[in-house]
Amino acid sequence: MTFRLPSNAGYNTLEGKVRRAMSLDSEPCLLLELRSTGTSFRRDNHDFMEVVEDFDLRLPQVVVLRAHFDTLVRALRQWQVTQEPFSLDLDHGGDVTCTVEVRPHSDAASDRWKPDFTLVYASPKARIEVNFGVDASCLLEWTEGLEQAVAVPH
C-alpha cells in the first residue's frame, strides 16, 4: 500500500510504500521506499502550460524503527488537533538518519496552519533534504496513507 504527502501548492510530493516488515538488531523495523518529486527550481524558457518535474529523488531502502513510525502517525494525528510542531528521528540508530519535521520555518512563508514539511535523510557521506509547505488536508492524507500502509500484511 502506498502513501502520499502532497505540498500545499501542489508542486511537490513525497510518496512511498512499505516494502516489508523486518528486524534489525532484534528491533522491529519497516523497510520503506520513498520518492520525492517537485517543480521547485527556476528554469529558462519554461512553458507554464506544462508542468515538468525539476527533480525526482528515489530512496529505495529506508529502514525505520516500527515504534518510531507509529510515533510519527501519533504526532501527525496530534498535529490535527493542536498544530504543535514536531521533529522525529525514524532511523534505527545507526550511522544513517531519517528525520521528519512539521513546523513553521522562520525563513519561509509558513505559519502554524501551513507549516513546512522537512525530510532529511543523511549518512556520513551524503545528505538529502526535501522541504515544502503543507496544510491540514495534506497532513491528513499522509496520516491516513501511513496508517493504511501498515494495516495491510506485508
Side-chain angles (χ1 to χ4, degrees):
M1 176 63 95
T2 60
F3 50 84
R4 180 175 179 268
L5 173 62
S7 69
N8 183 43
Y11 295 115
N12 298 286
T13 60
L14 175 72
E15 298 172 313
K17 66 181 175 181
V18 176
R19 294 182 59 195
R20 65 182 165 93
M22 57 179 283
S23 180
L24 187 63
D25 299 328
S26 301
E27 293 275 359
C29 295
L30 297 170
L31 178 61
L32 307 180
E33 180 175 332
L34 300 177
R35 179 177 178 230
S36 183
T37 58
T39 56
S40 300
F41 298 102
R42 183 178 176 162
R43 293 176 281 165
D44 291 338
N45 301 320
H46 183 74
D47 178 2
F48 288 101
M49 302 306 289
E50 179 185 4
V51 176
V52 178
E53 293 171 347
D54 288 324
F55 65 89
D56 187 340
L57 302 172
R58 183 174 166 262
L59 301 169
Q61 296 192 64
V62 177
V63 178
V64 301
L65 283 170
R66 174 60 196 253
H68 293 185
F69 183 94
D70 294 342
T71 300
L72 171 61
V73 172
R74 284 192 303 276
L76 288 165
R77 284 284 178 202
Q78 184 65 29
W79 187 93
Q80 293 291 330
V81 176
T82 64
Q83 290 75 48
E84 281 296 315
F86 64 87
S87 177
L88 296 169
D89 292 323
L90 303 179
D91 56 89
H92 55 79
D95 62 349
V96 176
T97 60
C98 182
T99 305
V100 171
E101 291 185 349
V102 173
R103 68 177 63 249
H105 283 214
S106 60
D107 61 343
S110 64
D111 62 29
R112 180 178 181 187
W113 305 104
K114 293 185 180 178
D116 275 4
F117 162 78
T118 303
L119 169 73
V120 177
Y121 191 63
S123 75
K125 296 187 179 204
R127 176 184 169 94
I128 296 170
E129 182 172 334
V130 176
N131 178 276
F132 52 83
V134 293
D135 63 22
S137 65
C138 303
L139 293 172
L140 183 59
E141 178 180 339
W142 191 36
T143 305
E144 291 173 346
L146 291 170
E147 290 171 335
Q148 290 172 2
V150 292
V152 177
H154 298 100

